[in-house]
Amino acid sequence: MLSLGQASTMVDDALRQGAALGCAPLTVAALDPGGHLLVLKRQDGSAILRPQIAQAKAWGALGMGLGSRALAERAATAPAFYTALAALSEGRVVPVPGGVLVRDSEGAVLAAVGISGDNPANDEACAVFAIEHGGFVADPGQTP
Amino acid sequence: MLSLGQASTMVDDALRQGAALGCAPLTVAALDPGGHLLVLKRQDGSAILRPQIAQAKAWGALGMGLGSRALAERAATAPAFYTALAALSEGRVVPVPGGVLVRDSEGAVLAAVGISGDNPANDEACAVFAIEHGGFVADPGQTP
Amino acid sequence: MLSLGQASTMVDDALRQGAALGCAPLTVAALDPGGHLLVLKRQDGSAILRPQIAQAKAWGALGMGLGSRALAERAATAPAFYTALAALSEGRVVPVPGGVLVRDSEGAVLAAVGISGDNPANDEACAVFAIEHGGFVADPGQTP
Amino acid sequence: MLSLGQASTMVDDALRQGAALGCAPLTVAALDPGGHLLVLKRQDGSAILRPQIAQAKAWGALGMGLGSRALAERAATAPAFYTALAALSEGRVVPVPGGVLVRDSEGAVLAAVGISGDNPANDEACAVFAIEHGGFVADPGQTP
């Protein structure tokens, strides 16, 4: 599991990367392997549902054991299943890129980072950057 | 944030405009920037789910930071995401035109107006009229 | 059932009475006999949960067919029942004075008014005033 | 409303104060006036429900317009009302000290800080310290 210090640095790095890329205001969440919040920051002007979306991207990745890009691809071909998952999980699964698993060098899941605010590709890019900058392996769910 | 007086006038203006346009009975809600109700009025004959729909149009606009017409366009191309948002938000996001952000001249969000009862274009037109009549900038989410 | 005009006047009269009595900022809701919102107004400075509380006082009165003062008395002697009702109704029953039935001269229920913001006795007094001022019979649930 | 920078500093100051006082691992949340998360940090070893409790202390304070110590006192004398509020708010009101309103010098509510992890008095003390250290007025709900 990540320490609070590591998770905080990751969140701050993601926000810094968003600013460097000229992203819209972001909300960044880091969750532990049990899906519970470690750190969340919402930038000025990031809308009020963003904290839930950022958490749900990360939670869905942990919930299914797959980065949320893979969930998005599966939702496109199995929409009824993901509609059922939305209900089953009480909304905690959002199948859109930007929920990225944090793995160690042996593949173990240490945490997940979820970002919402810009388009899904940019959200994901900021998460991947922050995870790799922290010395971990980012698993966005394929083809990043 | 709007005062109760400003929000009440906006709601009454929207109802008056609905009557002028020959709209079906409307329900009009004005929410503060945090998504909490300021004023709601339901006209005689406006059906019993209309208060929830009117609030959800406005809440969705605030939640995502976009007028609900933009949400409707996005939902058409990303249905799985909006199905997930419905669950995530416990039904408080309705991606249909008629949830209009109230902005000041510098773009800050002061409130949102949501209307339900007639077709979405007419609902939206009444909200836009009322917001502009109050001296504010109406942001319906593009192409109104 | 009340018309929108009658319900709006009642809500405005309640707010005016609150100001005359020096009450804290109030939220006032008027619901139809089916428990659905007709009118709600939240005064500047009335806290963000007040719209839910005001509605739940009125909804509980309609739900049980008793002004909410009677519900408060019963909750004191049957707490387990009212805890169960809170769950059963998904939070829509709040057993505290201030949810007042609007009856006609023959006793038929036409609406309910719920008020939150000051202490329960003052909330209730404003509701009773507004209902009687409108020419209806106020039923607060005994001993007002 | 607080900026992200101000809210982050407040959360970090509260954690630092918790360490200085020898508190158990804390979770600290800062919410905007609409009850939406700005920043949350959970210290290593702070249990998995703490993020929800910290948020609910702050949310309850905002929802009722009173620091959560006042809610705790009221809950002791009006338990049925607070049981009803728990259901009504879907669990977002926790009437225990440690949810502290952040006010400006004129009394306007800018945010709320909620802390969970140690006993309520210590949780509250860390919140009050952080808010005052940031140059704001801490309103814990009387007698701190």
Side-chain angles (χ1 to χ4, degrees):
Chain A
M1 201 193 285
L2 294 189
S3 69
L4 172 58
Q6 291 172 311
S8 287
T9 300
M10 227 173 250
V11 168
D12 289 340
D13 284 344
L15 291 176
R16 208 170 293 119
Q17 182 69 357
L21 297 177
C23 290
L26 300 178
T27 298
V28 181
L31 273 57
D32 74 17
H36 303 285
L37 199 50
L38 288 169
V39 180
L40 184 143
K41 290 195 177 183
R42 175 160 60 107
Q43 288 188 308
D44 302 343
S46 193
I48 61 177
L49 191 55
R50 300 294 178 187
Q52 264 65 34
I53 300 173
Q55 290 179 75
K57 287 186 183 186
W59 202 96
L62 292 162
M64 298 298 284
L66 293 162
S68 68
R69 174 173 291 274
L71 303 186
E73 287 166 6
R74 294 179 180 203
T77 62
F81 180 57
Y82 278 82
T83 298
L85 278 193
L88 177 70
S89 66
E90 296 177 342
R92 284 176 296 183
V93 176
V94 168
V96 171
V100 183
L101 295 172
V102 181
R103 295 187 185 273
D104 67 14
S105 57
E106 287 166 11
V109 173
L110 305 177
V113 173
I115 302 186
S116 180
D118 204 288
N119 66 55
N122 282 345
D123 293 342
E124 183 188 75
C126 294
V128 168
F129 172 87
I131 294 166
E132 293 181 344
H133 196 260
F136 300 97
V137 177
D139 176 1
Q142 245 88 286
T143 60
Chain B
M1 201 192 286
L2 295 189
S3 69
L4 172 57
Q6 290 172 312
S8 289
T9 299
M10 228 174 249
V11 168
D12 289 341
D13 285 344
L15 292 174
R16 207 170 294 120
Q17 181 69 356
L21 296 178
C23 290
L26 300 178
T27 299
V28 181
L31 275 57
D32 75 17
H36 304 285
L37 200 50
L38 289 169
V39 180
L40 184 142
K41 290 195 177 182
R42 176 160 60 106
Q43 287 187 310
D44 302 344
S46 193
I48 62 176
L49 191 54
R50 299 294 178 187
Q52 265 64 34
I53 300 172
Q55 289 180 75
K57 287 186 181 185
W59 202 97
L62 292 163
M64 299 297 286
L66 293 162
S68 70
R69 175 172 291 275
L71 303 186
E73 286 167 6
R74 294 180 180 203
T77 61
F81 180 56
Y82 279 83
T83 298
L85 278 193
L88 176 69
S89 67
E90 294 175 342
R92 283 177 296 181
V93 175
V94 168
V96 171
V100 183
L101 295 172
V102 180
R103 295 187 186 273
D104 68 13
S105 57
E106 286 166 11
V109 174
L110 305 177
V113 173
I115 302 185
S116 181
D118 204 289
N119 66 54
N122 281 346
D123 293 343
E124 183 188 75
C126 294
V128 169
F129 172 85
I131 294 166
E132 293 181 345
H133 196 260
F136 299 98
V137 177
D139 177 0
Q142 245 87 287
T143 60
Chain C
M1 200 194 287
L2 294 190
S3 68
L4 172 58
Q6 290 172 312
S8 288
T9 299
M10 226 173 250
V11 169
D12 289 340
D13 284 344
L15 293 175
R16 207 169 294 119
Q17 181 70 356
L21 297 177
C23 290
L26 301 177
T27 298
V28 181
L31 273 57
D32 73 19
H36 304 285
L37 197 52
L38 288 170
V39 180
L40 184 143
K41 291 194 177 183
R42 176 160 60 106
Q43 287 187 308
D44 302 344
S46 191
I48 61 177
L49 192 55
R50 300 293 178 188
Q52 264 65 35
I53 300 172
Q55 290 179 75
K57 287 186 182 184
W59 202 97
L62 292 163
M64 298 299 284
L66 293 162
S68 70
R69 175 174 291 273
L71 303 186
E73 286 166 7
R74 294 180 180 203
T77 62
F81 180 58
Y82 279 82
T83 298
L85 278 193
L88 176 70
S89 66
E90 295 176 343
R92 284 176 295 183
V93 175
V94 168
V96 172
V100 182
L101 295 172
V102 181
R103 297 188 185 270
D104 66 15
S105 56
E106 289 166 11
V109 173
L110 305 176
V113 173
I115 302 186
S116 180
D118 204 289
N119 67 54
N122 282 345
D123 294 343
E124 183 188 74
C126 294
V128 168
F129 171 86
I131 293 166
E132 294 181 344
H133 196 260
F136 299 97
V137 177
D139 175 2
Q142 244 87 289
T143 60
Chain D
M1 201 193 287
L2 293 189
S3 69
L4 172 58
Q6 290 172 312
S8 288
T9 299
M10 227 173 248
V11 169
D12 290 340
D13 284 343
L15 292 174
R16 207 170 295 119
Q17 181 70 355
L21 297 177
C23 290
L26 300 179
T27 298
V28 182
L31 273 58
D32 75 18
H36 304 286
L37 199 51
L38 288 169
V39 180
L40 184 144
K41 291 195 177 183
R42 176 160 61 106
Q43 287 188 310
D44 303 343
S46 192
I48 61 175
L49 191 56
R50 298 295 179 187
Q52 263 65 34
I53 300 172
Q55 290 179 75
K57 287 186 182 184
W59 202 97
L62 291 163
M64 298 298 285
L66 293 162
S68 69
R69 174 172 291 275
L71 303 186
E73 286 165 7
R74 294 180 180 203
T77 61
F81 180 56
Y82 279 83
T83 298
L85 277 194
L88 176 70
S89 67
E90 296 175 341
R92 284 177 295 182
V93 175
V94 168
V96 172
V100 182
L101 295 172
V102 181
R103 295 187 185 272
D104 66 15
S105 56
E106 287 166 13
V109 174
L110 304 177
V113 172
I115 302 186
S116 179
D118 205 288
N119 65 55
N122 281 344
D123 294 343
E124 183 188 75
C126 294
V128 168
F129 171 86
I131 293 165
E132 294 180 344
H133 196 260
F136 299 97
V137 177
D139 176 2
Q142 245 88 287
T143 61

